[in-house]
């Protein structure tokens, strides 16, 4: 299995000598297979830290959610399927509605309910900080690797 066959986005880079018509062609071609972000080249390491390394972070989260489901009594295959579908559906909601993830979280979090109990545990464990730190660490490493030896 080639993981690249599951890619939902690509990061093409244009050389300095490319003109606006070259950029238009690249945007037209790659828009057919994913979302295009036109950024300054100095941000490429940040893109790598977030979207290049991000799938691994999401896989760890799916695995952890599935492990929680198993701990709660679900069969492994069911827990993994539910975890993956939960991430897929949540990502689609962010992309399709354009709403801030915090607003979407609030929409599914009832006062005194199960979701806020779980969110509280994530906050106590430093989940949000761990995600931020992972992106920053990967960005810093990308910067290190991009320097001439």
């Amino acid at each position: 299995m080639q993981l690249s066959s599951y890619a939902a986005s690509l990061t093409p880079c244009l050389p300095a000598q490319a003109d606006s018509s070259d950029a238009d062609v690249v945007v037209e071609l790659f828009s057919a297979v994913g979302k295009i972000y036109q950024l300054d080249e100095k941000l490429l390491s940040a893109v790598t830290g977030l979207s290049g390394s991000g799938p691994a972070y999401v896989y760890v989260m799916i695995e952890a959610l599935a492990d929680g489901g198993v701990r709660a009594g679900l069969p492994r295959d069911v827990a993994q399927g539910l975890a993956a579908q939960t991430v897929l559906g949540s990502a689609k909601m962010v992309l399709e509605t354009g709403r801030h993830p915090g607003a979407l979280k609030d929409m599914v979090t009832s006062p005194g309910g199960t979701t806020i109990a779980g969110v509280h545990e994530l906050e106590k464990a430093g989940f949000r900080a761990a995600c931020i730190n992972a992106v920053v660490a990967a960005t810093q490493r990308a910067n290190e690797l991009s320097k001439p030896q």
Side-chain angles (χ1 to χ4, degrees), residues 32-56:
V33 294
K35 177 94 172 115
I36 301 293
Y37 294 96
Q38 294 184 13
L39 302 169
D40 191 293
E41 187 175 355
K42 69 182 179 189
L43 296 174
L44 190 55
S45 290
V47 171
T48 299
L50 176 58
S51 112
S53 300

Side-chain angles (χ1 to χ4, degrees), residues 77-138:
D77 61 329
V78 172
Q80 184 171 309
L82 288 170
Q85 282 296 136
T86 298
V87 170
L88 176 63
S90 300
K92 285 181 75 161
M93 284 292 290
V94 170
L95 293 172
E96 292 175 5
T97 67
R99 290 189 172 178
H100 188 280
L104 293 169
K105 175 204 57 155
D106 288 348
M107 290 172 58
V108 298
T109 305
S110 304
T114 60
T115 303
I116 194 62
V119 168
H120 182 228
E121 290 301 316
L122 291 173
E123 293 293 351
K124 284 188 338 190
F127 178 78
R128 186 183 311 262
C131 290
I132 293 168
N133 292 342
V135 172
V136 170

